[in-house]
Amino acid sequence: MKRLALIAAFALAACSAADTSPSPDAVSTPDVSEAPAPIGAYMIVQGKDYAPGSLGPYAAALPPIYAKYGGRYVAFETDIDVAEGGSDYSAVIISAWPSKTAARAFWDSPEYREAIKLREGIGTFDVVIVGALPTQ
């Protein structure tokens, strides 16, 4: 049940991020036929000790902030397959960013500082930003 609630919350957020319908605040509508921007960095979030469904409002607040800073979800998993060592995390979420600077700008933004309040006291999360390997 916990896995289903988290998947639903992040799927809602990811689908909202992919919405290409015009909004009154939109400057321009993205051309969805174009390939995604090159990936310069990844943000990896590992979470544990949260209640099912408790992240819904937080997850729903993220898509417009991700879009503003160029981020997108690339992986979300609650059925973690540990190949070596140990992990007590319940979920891993990976997002792609144009650069480490863009990922950090998202993280430090006033919009995200407000959104993160929606998950205060809900679980434990470790977040790292790593540079992507150059494409060849």
Side-chain angles (χ1 to χ4, degrees), residues 22-28:
S23 72
D25 300 328
V27 175
S28 65

Side-chain angles (χ1 to χ4, degrees), residues 50-86:
Y50 49 81
S54 61
L55 293 174
Y58 168 74
L62 297 180
I65 309 170
Y66 266 59
K68 180 176 179 178
Y69 293 92
R72 66 183 190 273
Y73 294 107
V74 295
F76 173 78
E77 185 62 63
T78 58
D79 186 17
I80 300 166
D81 181 3
V82 179
E84 184 175 339

Side-chain angles (χ1 to χ4, degrees), residues 91-117:
V92 175
I93 299 100
I94 303 173
S95 53
W97 300 85
S99 65
K100 287 175 72 175
T101 302
R104 181 51 88 163
F106 157 81
W107 188 261
D108 294 334
S109 72
E111 301 95 337
Y112 185 67
R113 294 293 100 205
E114 281 300 309
I116 201 169
K117 292 176 184 176

Side-chain angles (χ1 to χ4, degrees), residues 1 6 21 32 36 62 65 74 80 88 90 105-106 109-110 116 119 121 128-129 136:
M1 185 62 157
L6 258 177
S21 61
V32 294
L62 297 180
I65 309 170
V74 295
I80 300 166
D88 62 347
S90 308
F106 157 81
S109 72
I116 201 169
R119 75 164 166 87
V128 297
I129 299 170
Q136 298 177 358

